[in-house]
Amino acid sequence: MKRAKADYTIQAVAHAFDLLEEFRESGEEELGVTELASKLRLHKNNVFRLLATLESRGYVEQNPVSQNYRLGIKVLELGQAFVRQTGLLRHSDAVLRSIVEKVNETAYVTVIREGAVVYLNAVEADRTVRVVSRVGHRLPIFASACGKAQAAFWKPDQLDHELREMAKKTSKAYTPNTIVDPEKLREELRVTAARGYGLDNEEYELGVRCVAAPVFDYTGGIRGAITVSGPSSRMTEPRIQNEIVPVITAAAKELSRQLGHGK
């Protein structure tokens, strides 16, 4: 019988990654040994040894004043290597700039990873009031336009699985507009697929509306999504339909074409 990949996990390596990921989960710039030990449920001596190893390789660094630790330059270097190797990112910059030139609202390219939407790249609008860049942030799939724009094109078994998982736990309502009922979400995704774009009507953050269109690759599979975000005072229904949707759907088709879709 073939062994599961989990059977080959090296615990010390797994703990090192847990430690690095804690900087993302906590949102803090610096963390101390005691705090990390508590969060990871590890002995302080083990955490110190992990930190010493990571520090020697440049993945964390210690603040000489506070004695706490923060992420090191090697983490950024790995992230930049990922950016260079990802075709979606490589082609997205010019497309996003074109969107911003036309509608003057912040534009992003996103993917779904590990059960969340991840913002990979952004071009900000030249406005005093605008949505702050979310690059690197993780947002809920079903409360974001870009998440719905991608989930709407999942295979039925994948969608069924995700909705079943959602039904097992109490879904968080981020605003009064958040859709938390699985069947209502299924209908929302059906509508999204039919019209070719997703909407976030202040479902994640009050005062912010988003529109997103799916990006496909040469296999025809969903690769990511392009989204435009702006204050709800500017992102009115008429403007979304008459200005934003035509621009963003055309941009998503162009980016899909560059990734080989339809060739």
Side-chain angles (χ1 to χ4, degrees):
M1 179 182 295
K2 187 176 180 180
R3 295 173 64 185
K5 288 186 178 180
D7 294 339
Y8 297 95
T9 299
I10 299 173
Q11 191 175 54
V13 177
H15 287 329
F17 284 121
D18 289 340
L19 188 154
L20 289 173
E21 290 171 1
E22 190 57 46
F23 285 92
R24 179 192 68 195
E25 299 299 328
S26 70
E28 299 292 331
E29 291 186 8
E30 296 185 355
L31 294 170
V33 174
T34 301
E35 184 177 5
L36 283 165
S38 175
K39 288 177 178 293
L40 299 174
R41 298 181 180 179
L42 294 174
H43 193 278
K44 287 174 63 176
N45 186 52
N46 290 343
V47 171
F48 179 79
R49 292 171 63 186
L50 288 170
L51 286 166
T53 302
L54 292 168
E55 185 179 18
S56 71
R57 302 297 296 267
Y59 288 95
V60 300
E61 56 188 35
Q62 189 175 31
N63 184 328
V65 176
S66 68
Q67 299 298 303
N68 290 334
Y69 290 83
R70 57 197 176 207
L71 293 177
I73 192 67
K74 280 293 183 68
V75 175
L76 175 62
E77 291 175 356
L78 279 181
Q80 291 299 317
F82 172 78
V83 168
R84 290 193 301 271
Q85 295 167 11
T86 304
L88 181 62
L89 282 171
R90 195 162 56 245
H91 294 291
S92 68
D93 201 59
V95 173
L96 295 182
R97 291 187 185 284
S98 175
I99 293 172
V100 175
E101 286 175 3
K102 293 172 182 174
V103 302
N104 202 16
E105 300 291 353
T106 302
Y108 304 89
V109 63
T110 69
V111 295
I112 290 177
R113 292 290 187 275
E114 299 178 353
V117 171
V118 181
Y119 285 71
L120 297 182
N121 194 11
V123 174
E124 293 192 34
D126 183 20
R127 291 180 183 266
T128 303
V129 179
R130 63 184 185 274
V131 176
V132 177
S133 175
R134 291 170 169 171
V135 171
H137 290 194
R138 298 164 64 85
L139 266 65
I141 295 172
F142 297 122
S144 59
C146 43
K148 288 189 282 186
Q150 295 174 75
F153 294 93
W154 281 344
K155 293 180 179 179
D157 56 346
Q158 182 181 2
L159 178 58
D160 290 343
H161 171 75
E162 294 294 338
L163 290 177
R164 280 197 304 271
E165 289 299 307
M166 178 181 176
K168 290 179 183 178
K169 52 191 177 183
T170 303
S171 299
K172 180 178 179 179
Y174 298 91
T175 76
N177 294 343
T178 306
I179 304 172
V180 295
D181 180 81
E183 290 310 309
K184 289 183 179 179
L185 269 173
R186 190 185 295 276
E187 175 59 19
E188 171 78 0
L189 295 176
R190 187 194 66 76
V191 172
T192 297
R195 69 190 173 198
Y197 60 90
L199 291 173
D200 166 7
N201 183 28
E202 300 183 79
E203 294 164 48
Y204 178 69
E205 183 179 354
L206 289 175
V208 176
R209 287 196 180 104
C210 308
V211 185
V215 176
F216 302 92
D217 63 15
Y218 67 96
T219 69
I222 187 72
R223 186 71 178 275
I226 291 177
T227 185
V228 168
S229 300
S232 55
S233 59
R234 291 200 303 263
M235 297 283 282
T236 61
E237 181 65 21
R239 185 178 181 227
I240 287 174
Q241 295 301 324
N242 299 326
E243 181 183 351
I244 307 294
V245 167
V247 169
I248 198 170
T249 52
K253 287 179 181 177
E254 171 58 22
L255 185 52
S256 298
R257 186 194 64 77
Q258 294 182 28
L259 296 176
H261 183 61
K263 292 183 179 179

